[in-house]
Amino acid sequence: MSKAIRLLIIEDSEDDAALLLLELKRGGIEIEKHQRVETSASMQDALDIEVWDLITADHDLPSFSAPEAIKLLKHSGQDIPFIIVSGSIDEQIAVDCLKAGAHDFIVKGRWTRLVPAIARELSDAEIRHQHRQQEVMLRKLSHVVGQSPNAVSIINSNHCIEYVNAAYIDNTGFSTDDVIGKNIEHIPNSSGADICWPEIWPVISAGYNWQVKHSNNNKGGVSYTEMMSISPIRDENSDISHFAIIQQDVSEQESLEAKFHQSQKMESIGTLVGGLAHDFNNMLSGMLGNIYLAKSSARSIPKVVEKLKHAEQLGFHAGEMVAQLLAFARKGKMTMKQFSLSSFVKEAYKLAKVSISEDIKLSCDICREPLKVKGDSTLLQQVLMNLMNNARDAVAECSDPEIRIALNYFTADEQFKRLHPDLKAVEFAHLSVSDNGGGIEQANQNKVFEPFFTTKEMGKGTGLGLAMTYGAIRSHDGMIELQSEFGKGTTFHIYLPLCELGAKELDSHQEAVLKGSEETILLVDDEEELLSVAAAVLHSLNYRVIKAADGVKAIEVFQQHCDDIDLVILDVVMPNMGGMEAAQKIQQINPQIKIIFTSGYDRDNVLKQSSDSASIPILPKPFSPQSLSQIVHQQLSS
């Protein structure tokens, strides 16, 4: 034997113990450690302190015996080979000892059987130990499989199901009676209608694994996406006897991935929209300024003034379209105020329903709670209008058309948090707009929030409504979800976080034109055309104007004329030096100087990140001469 053993000897004779050790050494058994005991107490101490490989025991000792030692060993729960080595005793006593738990009986002096018996029992003990370890591992594996959240089933070589775990029953809706002993190909929806078993069997029967992601249906017909893996199971002869099938429901994971890809797509398009918006708003500002100057010059020609007014209105409509695009891109400036969404929806519903035909049944169920949110009421009114108009178009062909609006309080549960990990709030206002129209096909549901996607016929839809709606809701730190079944109708669910304080923005929509008193204004913009037009407008409003093309030149000019300049108007985004940095340097020269920012699009929200510039008002582009005159007068008068 190659392994040295630890031997516990139950013997009252030191000479007999020494003789036993000598015989073991002669037989090639190496002793790592041995201990002789002769009482029950000393045996118990030895069992508690040490781990033994073998116990030998004399049958009769003055105060102890082999049968008592066997009972003590059983009580300890240890599996140690126990061999009685004793003088001649009655054969029946030997049989009783073997029945009680002794593994062998050796007569002292007849040593030829000693070493083989010990080798056999040590080998048997090792086998029993391995079996116990395997049983423990099997119990663990059985527990893991049984408690796994993934559906696990085992089929035999005849393709019949022999085992399913609890998750299989929960996920598929089938009971064990429905599937055990049944051929897996004959169980409806058991692994998906798109699974072709004749293609799979040759592959897995050859010892290869099979994995596929596909759509499956449970017993009730509800569809879900799963990842299915099939692996062969081999017997002791390495022959394939069974197959293990693991089915993981990945519907939530797919939903999160789809939202992530949608977010990336929106971010990319938003970056494009935001980049274009700045230049486009600059052009609109220049155009509106020129129209204003043209109107002033054509006062004596009413027809020309009328045409110019129409052109001016078209310019403002273009500005509103850019604002919608920026809302979609989540990069526009919004007037965020705290208000009761319940009261707001009641009023917005009254305005929106004007566009709904009288033959469509309308209902509006609003909870009693005020549900205060922080938001841009104009933008949210446009959201509700878009959704109601979409619902109106969806029910156009219905015999009994109906649109339902509901607003209620919602608390996010764990499932909602898992599906929307980017939403930090727990309490929400839940607004839903439902219709009983034809619904949206499954293939189109992932596209409805994409810009310019529409299923309407040419000329009846721009494809921007839902894209703007999506961007507007995300700009409010909320979420919009689509629930639709083709042929049965559609519901849009909106979740807006409750009780956050809003920010105030300057109202620049007053119409009165206010004249100046020859104050001097430093006007800074990198767009030469806009700079010239804005300067001309300010001249017409009785202001003196000094122009600069960027922040660096603005500082140079201000240093030369700081005693004469009453107000500085700075574009935020300019080459060489932007408006915010220039404003800080100008304020270092004169901390009391009045400043106004203009911006077609501040993509990095730099003003929100700067406490020094937080009090400086912003005039968004495109701006009208009226709004320019208002904000300039307000700053000079403050």
Side-chain angles (χ1 to χ4, degrees):
M1 297 181 61
S2 59
K3 179 185 176 183
I5 67 170
R6 289 157 295 188
L7 173 63
L8 180 62
I9 305 171
I10 304 172
E11 176 63 70
D12 59 331
S13 170
E14 291 185 12
D15 292 340
D16 285 352
L19 183 59
L20 173 66
L21 293 171
L22 180 61
E23 289 298 327
L24 293 177
K25 185 176 181 182
R26 287 176 180 172
I29 298 178
E30 184 180 351
I31 305 300
E32 177 186 326
K33 180 177 182 179
H34 74 274
Q35 181 178 345
R36 185 180 66 84
V37 297
E38 52 185 292
T39 65
S40 173
S42 59
M43 179 182 174
Q44 184 65 60
D45 290 341
L47 291 174
D48 292 341
I49 295 171
E50 187 61 73
V51 177
W52 303 100
D53 299 310
L54 175 68
I55 299 175
T56 63
D58 193 0
H59 185 272
D60 292 311
L61 290 80
S63 59
F64 201 29
S65 68
E68 291 176 304
I70 291 171
K71 289 182 181 179
L72 190 61
L73 178 61
K74 283 187 173 182
H75 187 264
S76 73
Q78 300 181 51
D79 180 13
I80 305 173
F82 191 100
I83 299 177
I84 298 175
V85 181
S86 187
S88 297
I89 59 174
D90 184 83
E91 184 178 338
Q92 185 59 47
I93 294 176
V95 171
D96 291 342
C97 286
L98 292 173
K99 289 181 178 179
H103 294 93
D104 209 336
F105 193 105
I106 305 296
V107 178
K108 288 180 180 179
R110 300 175 185 178
W111 303 114
T112 55
R113 288 187 59 250
L114 178 63
V115 172
I118 290 176
R120 182 192 68 241
E121 293 305 326
L122 289 175
S123 176
D124 290 348
E126 178 63 24
I127 292 172
R128 291 195 301 274
H129 175 68
Q130 292 176 359
H131 285 172
R132 284 195 300 274
Q133 286 186 318
Q134 290 173 355
E135 289 173 359
V136 170
M137 186 58 66
L138 284 173
R139 283 196 296 271
K140 290 179 180 178
L141 289 173
S142 177
H143 180 78
V144 169
V145 172
Q147 299 299 316
S148 171
N150 298 326
V152 179
S153 55
I154 297 175
I155 59 176
N156 59 27
S157 57
N158 294 321
H159 311 163
C160 293
I161 298 177
E162 293 187 358
Y163 169 83
V164 294
N165 68 348
Y168 181 97
I169 296 170
D170 292 340
N171 293 357
T172 67
F174 291 101
S175 67
T176 53
D177 292 338
D178 292 331
V179 296
I180 297 298
K182 308 290 178 60
N183 189 306
I184 191 168
E185 296 186 55
H186 299 157
I187 300 174
N189 304 331
S190 63
S191 356
D194 55 346
I195 294 297
C196 183
W197 287 104
E199 292 182 3
I200 297 175
W201 295 126
V203 177
I204 60 177
S205 297
Y208 297 101
N209 295 328
W210 181 280
Q211 187 176 66
V212 63
K213 183 165 75 170
H214 67 109
S215 178
N216 199 359
N217 298 320
N218 63 19
K219 187 177 180 179
V222 177
S223 177
Y224 61 95
T225 303
E226 70 174 16
M227 181 70 73
M228 185 174 75
S229 303
I230 308 176
S231 304
I233 301 174
R234 298 181 183 272
D235 59 18
E236 61 274 7
N237 298 319
S238 296
D239 295 326
I240 296 175
S241 61
H242 293 78
F243 301 96
I245 302 176
I246 301 176
Q247 296 163 266
Q248 180 186 8
D249 186 345
V250 294
S251 300
E252 283 191 13
Q253 178 184 336
E254 272 210 333
S255 175
L256 290 173
E257 287 177 355
K259 287 175 181 175
F260 174 71
H261 292 314
Q262 177 73 3
S263 176
Q264 283 187 316
K265 189 185 301 181
M266 292 299 187
E267 184 65 25
S268 298
I269 299 174
T271 300
L272 174 64
V273 169
L276 292 173
H278 178 268
D279 293 339
F280 193 68
N281 280 331
N282 277 340
M283 288 186 283
L284 282 175
S285 294
M287 183 183 74
L288 291 171
N290 276 310
I291 290 174
Y292 172 79
L293 295 173
K295 282 166 55 181
S296 300
S297 301
R299 288 195 186 105
S300 60
I301 314 174
K303 289 185 178 181
V304 173
V305 172
E306 187 65 26
K307 296 294 183 183
L308 289 172
K309 284 183 178 179
H310 287 313
E312 188 177 47
Q313 289 174 356
L314 290 173
F316 282 119
H317 285 320
E320 290 171 2
M321 180 175 289
V322 174
Q324 285 195 19
L325 287 170
L326 286 174
F328 146 71
R330 288 189 279 160
K331 295 182 181 291
K333 298 264 191 293
M334 297 184 297
T335 305
M336 304 295 280
K337 298 179 181 179
Q338 184 177 325
F339 59 90
S340 167
L341 191 63
S342 301
S343 300
F344 166 80
V345 171
K346 288 179 184 177
E347 295 303 316
Y349 168 74
K350 292 177 183 177
L351 293 173
K353 73 176 185 179
V354 174
S355 64
I356 307 299
S357 174
E358 293 183 358
D359 64 332
I360 298 175
K361 180 181 178 182
L362 284 174
S363 63
C364 187
D365 183 12
I366 299 177
C367 63
R368 294 183 178 180
E369 294 89 350
L371 300 183
K372 290 188 177 181
V373 299
K374 180 188 73 173
D376 185 319
S377 57
T378 302
L379 200 55
L380 291 179
Q381 182 171 331
Q382 186 65 49
V383 165
L384 184 59
M385 180 75 75
N386 285 343
L387 293 179
M388 288 187 67
N389 287 342
N390 273 6
R392 175 200 63 199
D393 296 340
V395 301
E397 304 299 327
C398 291
S399 58
D400 188 18
E402 182 178 0
I403 298 175
R404 300 176 302 280
I405 296 173
L407 177 67
N408 52 62
Y409 172 82
F410 175 79
T411 302
D413 56 18
E414 291 304 317
Q415 181 180 10
F416 185 86
K417 293 176 183 177
R418 284 198 308 272
L419 289 174
H420 309 293
D422 54 327
L423 297 185
K424 305 305 179 186
V426 176
E427 296 178 312
F428 294 87
H430 174 208
L431 175 65
S432 63
V433 179
S434 306
D435 65 69
N436 63 341
I440 300 172
E441 294 184 32
Q442 185 70 36
N444 291 331
Q445 290 187 17
N446 291 331
K447 304 176 184 177
V448 295
F449 295 118
E450 294 181 5
F452 308 112
F453 175 81
T454 180
T455 57
K456 299 174 184 178
E457 61 185 85
M458 185 68 68
K460 288 195 174 182
T462 64
L464 284 176
L466 287 178
M468 187 281 291
T469 296
Y470 177 89
I473 297 303
R474 296 299 286 149
S475 295
H476 286 73
D477 296 325
M479 174 58 65
I480 180 169
E481 290 183 326
L482 166 67
Q483 179 185 353
S484 184
E485 187 173 352
F486 192 60
K488 295 188 177 180
T490 299
T491 299
F492 285 94
H493 298 276
I494 291 175
Y495 301 91
L496 293 173
L498 294 176
C499 299
E500 291 187 9
L501 294 176
K504 293 183 178 180
E505 295 226 358
L506 180 68
D507 181 6
S508 59
H509 297 289
Q510 301 178 50
E511 292 299 322
V513 175
L514 302 178
K515 297 275 188 175
S517 301
E518 297 188 346
E519 294 93 340
T520 300
I521 297 174
L522 173 57
L523 181 64
V524 188
D525 201 299
D526 61 307
E527 291 291 334
E528 184 177 351
E529 180 67 23
L530 176 59
L531 186 64
S532 299
V533 171
V537 170
L538 290 171
H539 278 303
S540 73
L541 296 174
N542 200 31
Y543 293 108
R544 296 189 179 97
V545 179
I546 305 174
K547 297 184 290 184
D550 58 42
V552 174
K553 294 178 180 177
I555 295 170
E556 294 175 359
V557 172
F558 190 80
Q559 288 174 330
Q560 297 172 10
H561 304 279
C562 60
D563 294 333
D564 301 323
I565 295 173
D566 301 295
L567 173 70
V568 180
I569 300 177
L570 287 160
D571 188 20
V572 172
V573 180
M574 295 183 291
N576 299 325
M577 182 183 293
M580 189 184 73
E581 184 180 353
Q584 292 173 344
K585 294 184 181 299
I586 288 173
Q587 286 177 325
Q588 291 173 2
I589 299 171
N590 180 5
Q592 305 302 319
I593 189 65
K594 306 294 179 62
I595 297 175
I596 295 172
F597 284 132
T598 65
S599 179
Y601 163 56
D602 179 12
R603 81 180 60 184
D604 295 321
N605 293 318
V606 289
L607 298 182
K608 293 182 179 180
Q609 300 172 13
S610 172
S611 58
D612 294 336
S613 303
S615 60
I616 297 177
I618 307 167
L619 179 61
K621 298 176 183 178
F623 52 81
S624 67
Q626 292 89 339
S627 61
L628 177 61
S629 73
Q630 290 282 341
I631 194 171
V632 168
H633 185 271
Q634 180 180 330
Q635 279 296 94
L636 291 173
S637 302
S638 63

